[in-house]
Amino acid sequence: VKSDDPEERKLLTRMIKKQESTGDELLREFYVELNAAFVTPFDREDMNALAMELDKFLDFINHSAKTILMYNPKKIDNQIKEIIDNIHEDATIMIEIFGLLDDLGKNHQQIGDLCQKVTLIEHAVDDIYGDYISYLFANEKDEIELLKYKEIAQVIEDTTDRAKDVTTTVKSLIVKES
């Protein structure tokens, strides 16, 4: 969303897809290691649930980029950029959370606080999304562009929901392991 150039958007979308594919490969390796492990740091089902939720989050980031590229809107409104900035913040928080999971007992408070940040981001994005949809229907006169903007906004808003799903799984893990 930082570029108005369609060719640069294509390149950036390919880069995002490459990262999502790397995530898929890491997920495959995770399952190989999980199946081979005699002892795991958490319950296998919880590890699987966490991996699946993170994979969905990555898939939705990729889907968001593809949707923007596919619809090729005339402009990217500031509200869309703001939601994307929130997704970036979610991803940064995910990295931090996963870095702390190796010592869940010691880090449970910090992890819980980070999970709460993701929840607050998701709520803020819900508000941005609602305001943006209202703005679109009041101001966008080109019906095709309106549909494009609405679909893009929905897909990227859904991405923040997937981030919250990851942290819901993490919070469940904290409860079980504490």
Side-chain angles (χ1 to χ4, degrees):
V1 298
K2 303 289 184 188
S3 175
D4 292 327
D5 177 24
E7 290 306 311
E8 187 175 358
R9 280 191 189 159
K10 282 181 190 177
L11 177 65
L12 293 169
T13 299
R14 282 190 210 116
M15 291 170 60
I16 290 169
K17 175 59 180 171
K18 185 176 179 184
Q19 292 300 311
E20 189 272 334
S21 295
T22 299
D24 287 343
E25 180 58 28
L26 289 171
L27 183 63
R28 189 194 67 72
E29 290 174 22
F30 165 78
Y31 283 121
V32 168
E33 289 185 26
L34 182 62
N35 288 330
F38 183 69
V39 177
T40 60
F42 316 118
D43 183 64
R44 288 177 189 275
E45 288 80 19
D46 291 333
M47 292 178 73
N48 178 60
L50 190 54
M52 292 306 298
E53 293 301 338
L54 184 60
D55 183 55
K56 287 180 198 172
F57 177 58
L58 295 175
D59 288 345
F60 269 74
I61 291 171
N62 182 52
H63 182 59
S64 295
K66 287 187 339 187
T67 300
I68 292 167
L69 183 67
M70 179 176 60
Y71 285 125
N72 191 26
K74 290 180 181 174
K75 64 184 181 348
I76 301 290
D77 291 314
N78 288 333
Q79 297 91 330
I80 297 296
K81 291 177 182 178
E82 188 176 358
I83 295 172
I84 294 295
D85 287 342
N86 280 288
I87 292 169
H88 183 265
E89 187 174 352
D90 280 339
T92 302
I93 292 169
M94 295 295 158
I95 292 168
E96 193 172 349
I97 288 171
F98 277 78
L100 295 168
L101 287 177
D102 62 338
D103 194 348
L104 185 59
K106 182 179 113 185
N107 299 325
H108 73 276
Q109 182 63 48
Q110 187 178 2
I111 294 169
D113 292 346
L114 290 167
C115 289
Q116 182 61 25
K117 280 185 180 181
V118 171
T119 298
L120 294 174
I121 289 169
E122 191 271 333
H123 292 311
V125 167
D126 285 347
D127 292 341
I128 295 165
Y129 171 78
D131 292 345
Y132 182 60
I133 296 301
S134 295
Y135 165 81
L136 282 177
F137 278 95
N139 296 293
E140 183 56 56
K141 303 306 177 206
D142 182 332
E143 296 90 1
I144 292 174
E145 287 301 304
L146 180 125
L147 290 173
K148 288 179 185 182
Y149 298 140
K150 182 182 176 302
E151 182 64 22
I152 290 167
Q154 180 64 62
V155 168
I156 63 173
E157 189 278 333
D158 288 344
T159 303
T160 63
D161 293 339
R162 299 301 71 79
K164 185 179 172 204
D165 292 345
V166 172
T167 60
T168 298
T169 303
V170 169
K171 288 188 280 189
S172 174
L173 186 61
I174 290 171
V175 169
K176 285 182 178 182
E177 298 296 322
S178 294

